[in-house]
Amino acid sequence: MATSQGFQKDPIFLATTGFAVVFAIILAIGYAMQSRVAESGDYRLTTNAVEQWLSSGNAADARAALSAMQKGGNVRVADKTLELPELNKFLSPDSFDAASLASSLNNGVNDDAIAKAKQLNQIVSAKDQKRKSLASTMLIVGAVVTLLLYFALMIPMFARRKGEEETQVVTKSETEGIMNTVSEGLFLLGNDHQIGVEQSASLKRMFKLERDLEGDFFDFISDYVTQENVRVAKDYLDLLFGDRVKEKLVEDLNPLNNVEISLVRRDGQYESRYLDFRFKRVMVDGAISHLLGSVSDVTRQVELEKQLIQTKEEQEAQVDLLMSILHIDSDRLQTFIRNSSETLDEINERLSERGHSDGQIRSKLVDVMSNAHRLKGDAAALGLHKFEFGAHDFEEELETIRRGESSLTGKDLLPAITKLRTLYTEMDSMTELIGKFSEAMNAKGDSSVKFAADLDASIGGANSVETEDSAKTEDASLTSELENLDSEIESDLDALSDSEIVNDMDANIESNSFSVDMNSANESTAENAGNEDANDHGIEDSIRAITATVGQRNDTPVELKLNGLGAGNLPSELVEVVNDSLIQLVRNSIVHAYEGGDKRRSMDKKEELSIKVNFEQADDGYRLIYRDDGKGLDSKLIAEKAVSSKLLSAKAAEKMDKSKIIKLLFHPGFSTLDEATLDGGRGVGLDVVLKRVKEHNGTISISSGRGRFSQFTIRFPRSN
Amino acid sequence: MNEENLSVFVDYVTNYFTTVSKEDAQVGTPYLIKDINTNLYDYTGIIGISGNFKGSVFFTAPKTMLVHLLSELGLLSSHDNKVMDLVGEISNTISGNARREFGEQFMLSVPIVLKGKSEDLGVMQSANIYLIPIVWRRFKANLIINLGE
Amino acid sequence: MSNGKIKFMVVDDSEVIREKISGVLDQDFEIVGTAKNGVEAVEQFKQLKPAILTMDITMPIMDGIETIEAILAIDDSVRILVVSALADKATLIRAMALGAYGFVCKPFTDYELEDAIEHLIEDIR
């Protein structure tokens, strides 16, 4: 306390000074009294004393003598004049020579008078003494009292001071103890934004520093938080320092209660911690002198909270995923996972191959797009909508990039890679989930496939199948000359090279005179009809499901008839290609071939689009016959679309014959819809079909009657 | 830090090459990787990005490319120190640019330089780290971006 | 304040909120105008010179901060009560730093609003 208020204001100092002054005054008074007594006179005679002395004598003379003495003159007593010095002699305190006085006075001085003179002298002396002793007594008493008072007052003060000092020492060590131990980072902030010297030990630890913090607070935290945070903090602290805003209100505004700080680790990467900064105003004499800052590390709480939210979200996602896969046959699911993972890797592989010129990138895009499309189809077939949509997004992105006019660079593919990453992530979730539940699923023992989708009443089981007997329309087949389509991707798309493609189309493709006789109930297949173990491959259910889904999505009622797809008839090595092909064909039929209920009714067709699938064994192999009764293939429309999709110049289109035009359907990048929907429009499906069929050394034939039907016949040789 | 920022980082790298050598670098087809280590070249600059514990950007290049770059800068040396300096310089440039552009929203560390592989860099469960090849003259460097999670 | 009542203006793009605020005020106040965006607010302010106004800082067209700045530039004795979503602390702090007098958070109860308005006028009533 002494130090903070300055030496002059120290109470003890003031008190001591005060007492010293009083003491001095008393001394002075005492001394003054004494000396006055000494001066004025041992020889002072008061009127009373003289009268007393001479009461029996000559009062008048006594008076005269007195006054004369007082005036310093002579005394005339009787008829004798005594001069003062002489008189003084007789009146000295030390010796009263009565005899001498008597003889000098020589006149009636009697014993009585002498006695009275003696008395007088005593009285005077006594009074003198009294005065002297009074003076000294007063001095002494005064001094003693002063001293006593001084001590009386000072001792408690000293004691208190001592006590305070001790308390201060105790307080200081207690404070130190607190500051060293408290887990919060405490510090003071001045108006000038400087960090105070007194800090708790944990403050620097929160920032992984060895030394206490110093300097400007905002400069300091700029190293740990974003500039945005610093700005907001400045505004906030200014509000706190200003007195316009009430403390309670200000507390609500604290923007720093969960601020993320970034600490650099050894390996140069960042580590996040969360700190809670709180500031309180420190008031001194009714004004804001400082802010008390208190920092707590709330990382654990924040992370727990985040984890909680994340776990919740994950659980929800898992439940959703689970719901969507519960109905899927476990084998098919495994197959899907395996294939799709491979496909994703294939896509990634292809992308990672060397080559980043415009042409090379476009080539990669095309390849990857086919894969993506297949992924989408597979996912859709199993009802895995999340993955299907993810694959669709990916595909869309690729298409958008491909449509770009300017020269492509690797950078342009970045958005697509992002979507690919999402697919990988989703694949992981699925795999993880399935891993958890595959045991449960197997234990269940029920590997039958029950689709949640309601099948339209019009989609029945396998029964009578119509096959055409028009051999003439089937002999021709698209051979591997369709390969040329692939090479055309790289080069000028305007000219389709001549090929030996034998056209299976009748020249009358445009007229309605396409003769197709459909017989009902081909005996050879009847025994297989309806009896096969439809669940061995699950392919029938898969196709039914996709038909239902796509049909519903496009508001298209479908009557689906499947025959010959059971395990006994369909060899297992062909299951995939048949499945994939049918998926594409069904989608294309629904999206492109359906004319709409009204139109169909006006043409005397049933409202439902009729799709018939027959798989049969033949001498040279197998045949998959797919037929829909939709609007058929229109080569003019196809040509137009090829031109607008920039696959073909208008001139080339004019020159091209119908069979070649039809071939364009199998060209990647072809689309007869303006807008790509989830199901159709990308036109990529058939090229995939072609590719897969070729892988099995198969061939594809197409026949069509405008306004009446489209038919695809896929032939596979026996494999032995 | 999210996917939208990827393209910006690529630009910083290509800009550097263009500025220093007057010869453009090309961007190869990006793809995904699981294992950062196996995709590192001789020297790597590592930049940490805040918020995300594992968010980081790696610029990794073979010594030969770096030596050529050094010569463009007027330094004919293949000394380890100089080469590491260069990698640090390139990473600093990237980090500095990014800080200027994104510094408001997140923090970027001062880069450190790694020679060879590092044990600290683990392998991911699945391919979710971006790799963007950068081709300059006939050399290839990699820009690897890990958004963590 | 010719008739002794305190002039009040409500600035909010939601009619419901404007009515709610108006309803809470007692006879000491006279509502002289309302505005549904910042531009209107500034215009109306120039004409009507209210002593107090509420300002929703999440309005379209001209953002609340700009509006506050503009209005305080015209007359800095006006007392502004900011209405905002608390999640946006940074903006709120900005508003207070610029000179807003107080704030109330959405969604607010009638009581909270009354309280806030009381605080706004406690020394001029």
Side-chain angles (χ1 to χ4, degrees):
Chain A
M1 245 153 287
T3 47
S4 66
Q5 285 179 304
F7 181 55
Q8 286 85 342
K9 288 205 190 137
D10 179 11
I12 290 183
F13 174 74
L14 289 174
T16 308
T17 315
F19 273 108
V21 166
V22 167
F23 200 76
I25 292 174
I26 291 176
L27 270 177
I29 293 174
Y31 188 71
M33 283 181 79
Q34 271 227 339
S35 57
R36 270 213 66 197
V37 170
E39 264 174 23
S40 65
D42 309 303
Y43 311 122
R44 164 106 31 106
L45 293 174
T46 64
T47 317
N48 287 340
V50 172
E51 276 185 351
Q52 256 185 318
W53 175 26
L54 295 171
S55 62
S56 59
N58 223 326
D61 287 336
R63 268 191 223 104
L66 182 64
S67 56
M69 268 168 51
Q70 281 176 341
K71 289 182 193 146
N74 300 322
V75 172
R76 193 177 229 273
V77 175
D79 54 13
K80 199 108 197 242
T81 304
L82 274 179
E83 297 196 329
L84 195 57
E86 264 191 279
L87 196 60
N88 283 346
K89 247 196 303 189
F90 301 124
L91 293 174
S92 105
D94 300 317
S95 64
F96 182 81
D97 195 347
S100 305
L101 178 61
S103 70
S104 295
L105 284 181
N106 181 339
N107 184 12
V109 173
N110 51 19
D111 293 322
D112 203 26
I114 293 170
K116 289 204 171 118
K118 276 192 186 152
Q119 231 182 359
L120 181 64
N121 195 39
Q122 274 168 357
I123 292 169
V124 167
S125 302
K127 286 212 171 149
D128 279 349
Q129 294 292 54
K130 260 199 205 142
R131 279 194 206 99
K132 278 192 209 162
S133 55
L134 186 64
S136 33
T137 311
M138 275 189 74
L139 260 178
I140 291 169
V141 168
V144 169
V145 166
T146 307
L147 222 51
L148 282 176
L149 272 177
Y150 178 73
F151 282 117
L153 281 173
M154 293 326 270
I155 283 177
M157 273 186 94
F158 274 124
R160 197 170 62 218
R161 164 73 61 88
K162 197 77 208 287
E164 274 172 1
E165 272 175 12
E166 268 173 18
T167 313
Q168 264 193 21
V169 168
V170 169
T171 310
K172 183 144 197 277
S173 70
E174 274 181 15
T175 311
E176 260 176 41
I178 293 174
M179 290 300 247
N180 281 335
T181 327
V182 75
S183 56
E184 284 88 353
L186 299 172
F187 63 99
L188 284 172
L189 212 50
N191 220 323
D192 52 2
H193 302 161
Q194 299 294 312
I195 302 173
V197 173
E198 289 293 320
Q199 301 171 11
S200 69
S202 49
L203 182 63
K204 56 182 177 289
R205 273 185 249 132
M206 284 188 187
F207 295 91
K208 292 209 169 123
L209 296 172
E210 304 281 315
R211 292 176 21 191
D212 275 349
L213 279 51
E214 59 184 1
D216 183 288
F217 177 67
F218 299 113
D219 285 345
F220 172 74
I221 55 163
S222 294
D223 290 338
Y224 298 93
V225 301
T226 64
Q227 279 305 111
E228 212 176 298
N229 280 137
V230 176
R231 239 208 337 265
V232 177
K234 263 204 182 116
D235 280 347
Y236 177 63
L237 290 182
D238 280 342
L239 272 183
L240 271 174
F241 274 117
D243 51 10
R244 203 162 46 83
V245 187
K246 287 210 176 110
E247 178 133 54
K248 188 175 92 64
L249 222 55
V250 168
E251 263 174 38
D252 286 340
L253 287 175
N254 185 8
L256 301 172
N257 60 346
N258 257 346
V259 63
E260 185 179 346
I261 65 159
S262 302
L263 301 170
V264 184
R265 299 190 317 163
R266 214 174 14 105
D267 59 8
Q269 300 187 343
Y270 271 113
E271 176 188 334
S272 280
R273 295 199 79 79
Y274 291 86
L275 299 182
D276 181 356
F277 286 83
R278 288 188 187 265
F279 292 94
K280 276 190 88 61
R281 288 170 171 157
V282 176
M283 308 293 280
V284 170
D285 295 335
I288 302 170
S289 86
H290 285 87
L291 292 182
L292 172 67
S294 161
V295 189
S296 311
D297 187 321
V298 292
T299 309
R300 239 187 122 243
Q301 292 91 301
V302 170
E303 284 185 350
L304 275 174
E305 230 183 87
K306 278 188 174 180
Q307 227 177 61
L308 206 64
I309 295 174
Q310 198 186 10
T311 309
K312 232 184 108 204
E313 284 174 0
E314 274 174 15
Q315 279 178 352
E316 278 175 17
Q318 284 195 337
V319 169
D320 284 341
L321 189 51
L322 190 57
M323 292 304 290
S324 68
I325 67 174
L326 264 180
H327 61 285
I328 300 174
D329 173 71
S330 130
D331 287 337
R332 281 202 70 75
L333 195 53
Q334 302 282 9
T335 308
F336 171 77
I337 302 277
R338 200 177 47 243
N339 286 351
S340 303
S341 298
E342 267 174 36
T343 307
L344 284 179
D345 287 340
E346 270 173 40
I347 292 175
N348 202 30
E349 266 292 313
R350 181 76 180 99
L351 289 169
S352 72
E353 282 170 20
R354 293 196 78 99
H356 51 270
S357 69
D358 176 69
Q360 284 163 323
I361 289 180
R362 282 181 191 274
S363 157
K364 287 181 185 179
L365 274 177
V366 167
D367 288 344
V368 166
M369 277 172 75
S370 303
N371 277 334
H373 192 78
R374 192 173 78 238
L375 263 181
K376 186 171 86 179
D378 288 348
L382 289 181
L384 292 165
H385 297 299
K386 189 151 179 256
F387 197 83
E388 184 196 341
F389 296 150
H392 178 72
D393 278 347
F394 181 50
E395 215 188 349
E396 283 250 305
E397 187 63 54
L398 292 171
E399 175 65 16
T400 307
I401 297 170
R402 200 184 67 87
R403 284 238 172 89
E405 297 280 333
S406 45
S407 192
L408 292 176
T409 70
K411 222 179 87 171
D412 298 316
L413 289 175
L414 277 172
I417 304 299
T418 303
K419 300 202 155 65
L420 178 63
R421 187 174 181 257
T422 309
L423 286 175
Y424 265 110
T425 312
E426 274 169 29
M427 183 59 68
D428 282 344
S429 321
M430 263 195 285
T431 314
E432 194 189 318
L433 190 60
I434 283 152
K436 282 188 199 169
F437 289 99
S438 64
E439 285 193 14
M441 282 166 86
N442 285 336
K444 227 173 105 195
D446 180 15
S447 59
S448 64
V449 183
K450 292 288 170 237
F451 284 101
D454 280 315
L455 299 181
D456 212 326
S458 57
I459 300 173
N463 39 32
S464 64
V465 175
E466 289 146 78
T467 53
E468 58 192 279
D469 67 357
S470 45
K472 54 185 182 264
T473 59
E474 287 179 43
D475 282 342
S477 56
L478 290 167
T479 66
S480 57
E481 253 59 47
L482 278 170
E483 252 172 329
N484 290 326
L485 274 175
D486 295 331
S487 61
E488 275 148 25
I489 294 167
E490 309 285 313
S491 64
D492 182 6
L493 296 171
D494 272 351
L496 286 173
S497 64
D498 274 31
S499 62
E500 297 140 321
I501 294 164
V502 181
N503 195 340
D504 63 302
M505 295 294 197
D506 210 322
N508 312 345
I509 187 169
E510 280 173 314
S511 71
N512 283 342
S513 61
F514 219 96
S515 60
V516 175
D517 292 335
M518 308 296 280
N519 286 341
S520 58
N522 182 329
E523 251 74 67
S524 61
T525 60
E527 64 201 359
N528 292 320
N531 285 347
E532 75 271 40
D533 185 356
N535 297 328
D536 273 351
H537 297 303
I539 190 173
E540 287 199 20
D541 292 328
S542 156
I543 301 302
R544 288 206 185 97
I546 191 82
T547 309
T549 309
V550 178
Q552 272 171 8
R553 256 195 233 144
N554 292 275
D555 281 325
T556 302
V558 178
E559 181 191 64
L560 176 68
K561 294 192 176 144
L562 303 174
N563 185 44
L565 295 173
N569 204 34
L570 172 64
S572 33
E573 65 268 17
L574 293 180
V575 168
E576 271 196 58
V577 58
V578 165
N579 184 55
D580 290 347
S581 308
L582 286 177
I583 290 176
Q584 297 305 334
L585 291 169
V586 162
R587 287 158 73 120
N588 283 341
S589 292
I590 292 176
V591 175
H592 298 282
Y594 186 64
E595 308 98 316
D598 296 331
K599 178 110 195 273
R600 285 175 68 88
R601 272 190 293 268
S602 72
M603 294 162 77
D604 275 335
K605 289 190 196 177
K606 279 197 288 193
E607 187 177 342
E608 299 89 3
L609 179 68
S610 159
I611 295 180
K612 296 187 176 115
V613 178
N614 192 41
F615 186 87
E616 60 194 25
Q617 309 202 2
D619 301 323
D620 55 343
Y622 306 94
R623 270 197 322 207
L624 173 71
I625 303 170
Y626 173 96
R627 185 186 179 103
D628 74 48
D629 73 341
K631 59 165 95 121
L633 301 169
D634 183 346
S635 66
K636 216 154 113 206
L637 191 63
I638 294 172
E640 274 171 28
K641 242 331 160 147
V643 170
S644 71
S645 298
K646 304 209 169 92
L647 289 178
L648 210 44
S649 72
K651 258 197 325 195
E654 266 173 71
K655 285 192 285 177
M656 202 178 284
D657 66 49
K658 278 55 166 193
S659 60
K660 289 213 179 95
I661 293 179
I662 301 292
K663 263 172 45 180
L664 290 171
L665 283 174
F666 292 89
H667 198 291
F670 179 85
S671 165
T672 50
L673 278 189
D674 286 320
E675 255 177 51
T677 64
L678 207 56
D679 301 308
R682 199 136 289 119
V684 179
L686 290 179
D687 77 317
V688 172
V689 172
L690 181 61
K691 202 156 82 168
R692 310 285 264 114
V693 166
K694 267 169 39 190
E695 279 166 15
H696 289 266
N697 298 313
T699 60
I700 307 179
S701 317
I702 312 167
S703 26
S704 162
R706 189 127 66 104
R708 293 194 294 128
F709 73 94
S710 303
Q711 175 165 312
F712 293 78
T713 307
I714 303 178
R715 287 194 178 77
F716 299 100
R718 270 191 207 283
S719 53
N720 27 5
Chain B
M1 171 77 171
N2 57 37
E3 285 82 10
E4 287 159 15
N5 311 127
L6 291 176
S7 174
V8 175
F9 273 92
V10 174
D11 284 339
Y12 294 149
V13 176
T14 51
N15 279 344
Y16 187 87
F17 282 96
T18 310
T19 313
V20 162
S21 73
K22 311 291 183 281
E23 230 177 286
D24 287 342
Q26 285 100 41
V27 179
T29 318
Y31 55 97
L32 300 170
I33 58 173
K34 286 192 213 190
D35 185 350
I36 297 180
N37 257 324
T38 56
N39 289 285
L40 293 183
Y41 288 114
D42 302 320
Y43 297 89
T44 309
I46 309 179
I47 303 165
I49 300 171
S50 81
N52 216 316
F53 179 59
K54 294 188 210 101
S56 28
V57 173
F58 302 77
F59 174 76
T60 181
K63 188 162 183 181
T64 44
M65 177 198 252
L66 294 166
V67 168
H68 272 244
L69 259 180
L70 276 173
S71 77
E72 289 294 324
L73 289 164
L75 259 137
L76 292 164
S77 164
S78 64
H79 236 255
D80 241 16
N81 293 346
K82 297 280 187 303
V83 172
M84 287 182 81
D85 255 359
L86 178 60
V87 174
E89 158 76 23
I90 298 174
S91 310
N92 258 324
T93 308
I94 299 173
S95 179
N97 286 340
R99 216 177 283 136
R100 220 171 301 130
E101 185 148 350
F102 306 116
E104 289 274 316
Q105 303 139 33
F106 51 88
M107 309 193 50
L108 294 122
S109 76
V110 172
I112 63 169
V113 179
L114 174 71
K115 183 174 174 186
K117 318 280 185 200
S118 162
E119 274 150 25
D120 289 336
L121 300 169
V123 181
M124 296 289 125
Q125 263 283 61
S126 136
N128 54 21
I129 303 173
Y130 295 88
L131 188 147
I132 301 126
I134 308 283
V135 179
W136 179 74
R137 293 198 178 159
R138 59 185 191 290
F139 307 109
K140 183 154 101 80
N142 282 339
L143 178 64
I144 299 175
I145 301 180
N146 181 3
L147 295 180
E149 219 133 318
Chain C
M1 281 180 255
S2 46
N3 55 358
K5 296 196 184 188
I6 303 173
K7 291 195 190 174
F8 201 103
M9 188 164 108
V10 179
V11 181
D12 198 303
D13 62 345
S14 151
E15 194 176 331
V16 171
I17 300 289
R18 290 203 294 275
E19 283 177 12
K20 181 169 181 173
I21 294 178
S22 311
V24 153
L25 302 173
D26 62 23
Q27 333 78 296
D28 287 340
F29 298 92
E30 182 194 338
I31 311 247
V32 295
T34 64
K36 34 185 198 309
N37 62 56
V39 175
E40 267 186 42
V42 176
E43 280 310 307
Q44 300 260 22
F45 181 77
K46 282 189 199 157
Q47 287 177 19
L48 304 165
K49 292 280 171 45
I52 304 193
L53 61 91
T54 65
M55 170 83 61
D56 176 357
I57 55 178
T58 57
M59 291 184 303
I61 302 177
M62 189 175 173
D63 83 65
I65 297 293
E66 278 179 43
T67 315
I68 290 175
E69 274 180 312
I71 288 180
L72 285 172
I74 298 172
D75 174 8
D76 68 358
S77 70
V78 65
R79 297 184 178 194
I80 302 181
L81 179 70
V82 174
V83 174
S84 131
L86 188 60
D88 187 9
K89 281 181 187 169
T91 315
L92 202 43
I93 290 174
R94 196 91 266 285
M96 295 302 286
L98 282 172
Y101 209 83
F103 67 92
V104 77
C105 294
K106 292 199 249 195
F108 50 83
T109 62
D110 284 357
Y111 177 71
E112 284 165 350
L113 183 61
E114 271 172 39
D115 218 28
I117 293 178
E118 258 308 306
H119 162 67
L120 217 59
I121 57 161
E122 61 196 355
D123 53 346
I124 58 175
R125 211 188 246 274

